[in-house]
Structure formats: structure tokens, C-alpha cells
Amino acid sequence: MSKKIFSGVQPTGNLHLGNYLGAIKNFVELNNDEDNKCIFCVVDLHAITVKQDKDELKNNIRETTATFIASGIDPSKSIIFNQSKVYAHAEGSWILSCMAPMGWLNRMTQFKEKAGKDKEKASVGLYIYPILMASDILLYDATHVPVGEDQKQHLELTRDIAQKFNKDFKCENFLKVPEPLIKKNFSRIMSLKDGLKKMSKSDQSDLSRINLTDTKDEIVNKIKKAKTDSYSIPNEEEKLKDRPEAENLLGIYSSISDQTLDKTLDQFGGKNFSELKNQLAEILSNKIYPISNEIKKLINDKQYLDKILSEGADKAEQIAGKKIKEMKKIIGF
Ligand code: TYM
């Protein structure tokens, strides 16, 4: 069945292995399936929910675009664009924010994590950011949304908002209720320094993550220094319970080698971590370094990247512009 795919990545720098295995790798697979219509968005409006430096933001928009292409998304097959170029996203977000009850937003755990202790100082944008995400998805009638586990709650909210809009305005099926595409087992890549913390671009320690722009030596060094425990590797998934660092490294190995966790456990069960680390470092540097190299090449070709974004925005505008017009008509504008 043909799928309409929409997903987004924030241009906030330091894209890492979690973004790649949790999201971008799946974007590439979906892009390669001729039956799918894919749209991948550099969500720059989401990025400004926290303070950004103007020049860095500009660079990061290009770098995220370069990362999509370097990872294997083909801009002649998929639409790649940045969110701020298509006005309908912000307009849709306002309309949906008038439908969504505050109680729904108050449940969002990511806001609580990101706002930290001092919620009063967090921007209103950070609070309503999941509504902008709903607008992104619903404007394109997306049927499937590939994301990492941390976005699951936002997708559930998107589904609720779509259903509420359709019900409130008696327009059944006008906003399409999307399905999340979340890879089992590998959708939450954890920090290399703490298996209980998500791998994240904002972690102070660069050793906690593999950046998609790391060199081979950096990748090898980070895997070597990754935290493990003092037991050998088990043969069964069940025995990974309470061993988050072991589970994470085995999960990363499985995901990057496109094999099941069971197969990885067969391969390494009973062995020491040094063996797993050696092979993991090798396979990661073989897969990530070419991407890193390509990002660095592409980032110098600003004209090319800007052309991809501008052509992508024209195509996105055709779809989202039509939907927002219909939406406004339904509301009574
Ligand atoms: P963002 O930019 O934080 O992350 C981009 C994608 O990477 C995934 N991800 C991870 N997956 C596994 N392990 C990790 N440690 C990890 N860290 C990040 C995220 O789940 C995400 O899929 N709100 C979104 C962007 C967005 C969006 C959308 C996504 C805006 N509009 C519409 C889908 C559809 C975000 O901030 O992702």
C-alpha cells in the first residue's frame, strides 16, 4: 500500500547516532520504496522554541539538509524543505492550538523534561510545540510518521487533535489520523556514558554520543570509552534486564547491522565487551564515516542545498497551502 510519509528533524546542531538509527535511517528506507510519497522537513520553527544564534541556525538548517542527503535521501524522490518557508505550518498550528485543550498539553512529558525545574521561564512556544508538530503532519494528510520513541506521545496527541477537529467541525476524515512508525527495540538509543539517559544533542559530554560528523578516530575512541558492566554478554534478551549499557550497545550493533537483537546475542553471547566494542567500532565507522564525509562536502555547496530547500518548499506549499485553505473554509473564515 502506498504510504504518505512525513517526518521532521530540528536543525539544532550535533545530529547524532540516535537521530540516525531512531529516525533518519528509516527515512532512507521509506524513501527507497517507490510506492511511498515522502516529505522530510527541517523543522526550524521548532528550533526557535529555545534561543538560537542567527548564524548558527542558518548553518544548522543547511547541515540538517546535508545530513538527509548524505544519509541517502534522494531529493528527486522525496520532498526536503524547511518549515519556516511554508506559512501554512504556523497558521495551522494556531488553528489547532485553539482546538486542543490545555489538559492534553499538560500531559506532555517532553515539555517537563525540556523546561526543567524553572517552567515559568520556558517559552510558550516550547509548551505548544507538539501542536506545531501536529500541524506539520496533518497538513500533508500523512498516513505514517517515522520517529524515535521519544516522539510517541506527541504523535498520540496529533491523533487526538485530528479526531477532535473532525468531530468538532463535523468533517469526518478531513484530517487524517496518522500511524507512528517506531522501530521496535532500536527506537531509543541511549547515552554511551549512561544507559539510563537518552543519547541527546544537548548532553554536555561529547563522549556520550556519536555525532554524524565524527571522524573514524572519534567514533572508535567513543566506543572504546563507552560504559559497560563487569559481566560477560548474555545469550538471551531476558538477561539484559537491569543492564542498560549492555542492552544499548547490543541494540546499536543490531540496528546498524540490520539484524535482530537475538542474532546479535547469538553472535556475542558469552564473550567479553572488548570483542563487541571492536566490531561495533568497525561497523560504525564504516557506516557513519562516509556519511560524515559527505556532510562535510555538501555543507560547502550552499547554493545546491538552498536550491533543494527552495524547490522542496514550492512542492510542500502546493500541498499544505491547499489543505489550510480547506481548513479555514471548514472553520468559517
Ligand atoms: P528531534 O529533532 O529531537 O529528533 C529527530 C528524530 O530523532 C529521533 N531521536 C532519537 N531516536 C532514538 N534515540 C534517540 N536517542 C533519539 N534522539 C532523537 C526523534 O525521535 C526524532 O524522530 N518534534 C520532533 C521533530 C518534528 C517532527 C514533526 C517529527 C517536528 N515536526 C512532525 C515528526 C513529524 C523533534 O524535536 O525531533
Side-chain angles (χ1 to χ4, degrees):
M1 191 193 78
S2 152
K3 297 188 183 101
K4 283 189 191 170
I5 308 290
F6 185 98
S7 197
V9 174
Q10 291 198 53
T12 38
N14 283 345
L15 287 186
H16 52 73
L17 191 63
N19 298 123
Y20 180 70
L21 296 180
I24 300 171
K25 184 167 174 280
N26 305 337
F27 299 176
V28 177
E29 285 164 19
L30 291 160
N31 161 91
N32 289 343
D33 184 336
E34 297 290 337
D35 280 345
N36 295 334
K37 290 200 173 95
C38 301
I39 305 179
F40 300 114
C41 187
V42 179
V43 290
D44 48 8
L45 294 174
H46 276 98
I48 62 161
T49 54
V50 294
K51 197 164 186 292
Q52 299 292 330
D53 174 86
K54 177 178 163 191
D55 296 327
E56 265 178 43
L57 178 62
K58 220 174 226 161
N59 282 335
N60 285 335
I61 292 169
R62 292 195 181 110
E63 190 171 302
T64 306
T65 310
T67 305
F68 284 170
I69 299 169
S71 302
I73 296 172
D74 176 353
S76 70
K77 282 193 194 154
S78 296
I79 299 177
I80 300 177
F81 76 108
N82 58 317
Q83 196 185 25
S84 63
K85 288 248 184 74
V86 178
Y87 302 137
H89 290 249
E91 206 174 0
S93 177
W94 174 254
I95 292 171
L96 297 177
S97 73
C98 297
M99 320 280 132
M102 282 183 56
W104 289 3
L105 278 175
N106 287 339
R107 291 205 297 265
M108 296 298 113
T109 52
Q110 199 172 73
F111 173 74
K112 289 176 196 156
E113 277 162 30
K114 287 200 173 173
K117 282 194 194 102
D118 205 351
K119 277 205 215 48
E120 300 291 314
K121 283 202 179 138
S123 71
V124 175
L126 190 66
Y127 177 64
I128 59 167
Y129 137 146
I131 300 185
L132 177 58
M133 186 164 157
S135 169
D136 297 342
I137 297 167
L138 299 174
L139 283 170
Y140 296 89
D141 293 339
T143 58
H144 294 82
V145 183
V147 282
E149 168 76 27
D150 62 342
Q151 298 299 322
K152 192 172 171 211
Q153 199 184 29
H154 294 161
L155 275 180
E156 281 159 8
L157 181 81
T158 300
R159 292 167 57 89
D160 289 343
I161 290 177
Q163 280 162 333
K164 184 167 187 296
F165 185 97
N166 292 343
K167 192 162 165 254
D168 286 357
F169 293 99
K170 299 188 179 58
C171 52
E172 204 184 330
N173 221 14
F174 170 68
L175 293 180
K176 304 285 178 288
V177 181
E179 295 292 332
L181 287 179
I182 299 176
K183 288 255 162 158
K184 225 180 111 207
N185 282 332
F186 320 126
S187 58
R188 195 171 172 81
I189 304 298
M190 308 308 275
S191 154
L192 298 177
K193 286 282 156 202
D194 178 351
L196 296 174
K197 252 169 71 183
K198 201 179 68 172
M199 186 178 284
S200 143
K201 48 186 122 185
S202 55
D203 197 313
Q204 297 262 315
S205 164
D206 197 54
L207 288 175
S208 70
R209 65 181 163 261
I210 309 271
N211 299 305
L212 296 181
T213 48
D214 278 347
T215 62
K216 270 189 178 174
D217 286 348
E218 282 168 327
I219 296 172
V220 171
N221 184 41
K222 286 176 180 180
I223 293 298
K224 211 171 169 185
K225 294 201 167 133
K227 189 175 167 197
T228 51
D229 54 36
S230 47
Y231 308 101
S232 61
I233 297 171
N235 299 79
E236 295 162 47
E237 191 176 341
E238 225 172 59
K239 296 196 177 133
L240 283 173
K241 237 176 98 197
D242 301 324
R243 296 183 64 186
E245 284 84 16
E247 188 176 4
N248 191 38
L249 289 182
L250 289 159
I252 293 175
Y253 185 91
S254 310
S255 177
I256 198 87
S257 352
D258 287 315
Q259 67 183 32
T260 60
L261 185 57
D262 275 349
K263 175 131 195 269
T264 306
L265 287 167
D266 277 350
Q267 198 176 331
F268 292 103
K271 294 186 176 152
N272 294 326
F273 278 104
S274 59
E275 199 151 329
L276 169 65
K277 282 186 167 184
N278 284 340
Q279 293 202 36
L280 181 58
E282 192 183 326
I283 190 164
L284 275 177
S285 36
N286 287 342
K287 296 248 170 147
I288 300 300
Y289 182 64
I291 296 178
S292 157
N293 220 0
E294 190 61 23
I295 295 173
K296 285 169 193 154
K297 259 193 242 156
L298 284 169
I299 200 75
N300 289 321
D301 198 346
K302 290 185 185 158
Q303 253 184 334
Y304 169 71
L305 294 172
D306 292 350
K307 185 166 165 271
I308 297 290
L309 288 174
S310 150
E311 287 174 0
D314 288 345
K315 290 182 198 155
E317 165 62 32
Q318 305 249 326
I319 306 169
K322 186 163 169 263
K323 191 79 181 175
I324 196 84
K325 264 196 199 135
E326 289 168 7
M327 205 164 162
K328 286 164 80 172
K329 207 167 152 199
I330 286 174
I331 290 170
F333 289 146

